[in-house]
Amino acid sequence: KRLLFSPERVLAITVKEGVFRRWFGYAEVKVHVLTSESDKHFMLHPLLKTTDIPELLERVTPQFTAQAISASPPSRAKWMYLRWKLGFAAAASAACIWYFEMPGMLSLLLLPLAVSWGLRSHRDSGLNVTDKQLTIRSRFVALSTRYIRRPQIIALEISGTRRQRRRGLLS
């Protein structure tokens, strides 16, 4: 299947590094293109060495550059990354202990896994803003980096709960 698109119509590029791909230094590259119907995303390359990503972006979409992340969340935001993961792990552990009794105690191993997952999510998140491009990196399970041209950003929403605002944080 061949897809033709104009590089000027590219809204964003997403680089996704799954768990196994990241171990071996590979990533998946998707392109978000504005078409006549709607915003479509196409797989540009399913398995690409992460060191080759800047070259690919320069060749296919010269208006995008692979930039390093310059700003990361402050350390006071760690709890925001940990709370849901720890809550889910604690609830799952409690249910396993209640249902399976002593063998369910093995589910307590979910707690350190949840903590390490939350800390990795905090460490890997970040952004970079230049005069022409916004770069956002986040992690749920896979590490995603999005490159967005600033002229294509139509709306940007900043929100915060009471707890976040008390700590001087926003989403």
Side-chain angles (χ1 to χ4, degrees):
K1 186 174 183 181
R2 180 180 290 193
L3 298 170
L4 298 174
F5 62 89
S6 173
E8 293 84 35
R9 292 203 161 269
V10 175
L11 298 176
I13 294 177
T14 302
V15 177
K16 196 170 196 177
E17 300 174 58
V19 177
F20 297 113
R21 284 185 181 140
R22 187 168 170 89
W23 286 347
F24 298 110
Y26 287 94
E28 163 188 302
V29 181
K30 287 186 180 178
V31 178
H32 300 268
V33 180
L34 182 65
T35 62
S36 59
E37 300 121 29
S38 63
D39 174 27
K40 301 244 180 181
H41 60 277
F42 305 108
M43 177 90 58
L44 188 61
H45 205 294
L47 203 61
L48 181 70
K49 269 290 212 201
T50 53
T51 55
D52 297 338
I53 291 173
E55 179 186 327
L56 177 75
L57 294 182
E58 184 179 322
R59 194 167 24 105
V60 175
T61 54
Q63 70 268 31
F64 288 96
T65 57
Q67 298 174 344
I69 300 300
S70 62
S72 59
S75 60
R76 64 182 183 270
K78 282 182 186 174
W79 176 247
M80 299 298 172
Y81 285 88
L82 288 171
R83 65 183 177 167
W84 290 109
K85 295 168 181 69
L86 267 176
F88 179 74
S93 293
C96 287
I97 291 170
W98 174 77
Y99 188 75
F100 297 112
E101 296 174 1
M102 283 310 281
M105 295 297 262
L106 287 173
S107 66
L108 290 174
L109 294 174
L110 289 175
L111 294 173
L113 288 174
V115 168
S116 67
W117 179 22
L119 292 176
R120 286 185 67 90
S121 295
H122 176 266
R123 187 193 69 199
D124 290 338
S125 296
L127 64 94
N128 186 15
V129 180
T130 60
D131 54 339
K132 295 186 179 193
Q133 183 174 304
L134 170 66
T135 305
I136 301 173
R137 188 173 63 196
S138 63
R139 171 189 290 278
F140 183 70
V141 174
L143 181 67
S144 294
T145 306
R146 291 171 196 87
Y147 303 102
I148 308 162
R149 296 278 300 159
R150 287 189 64 193
Q152 273 82 17
I153 298 174
I154 297 169
L156 187 66
E157 182 179 326
I158 298 173
S159 64
T161 62
R162 278 189 226 149
R163 182 177 290 166
Q164 283 176 325
R165 289 189 178 143
R166 265 188 266 135
R167 293 182 181 193
L169 302 169
L170 293 171
S171 295

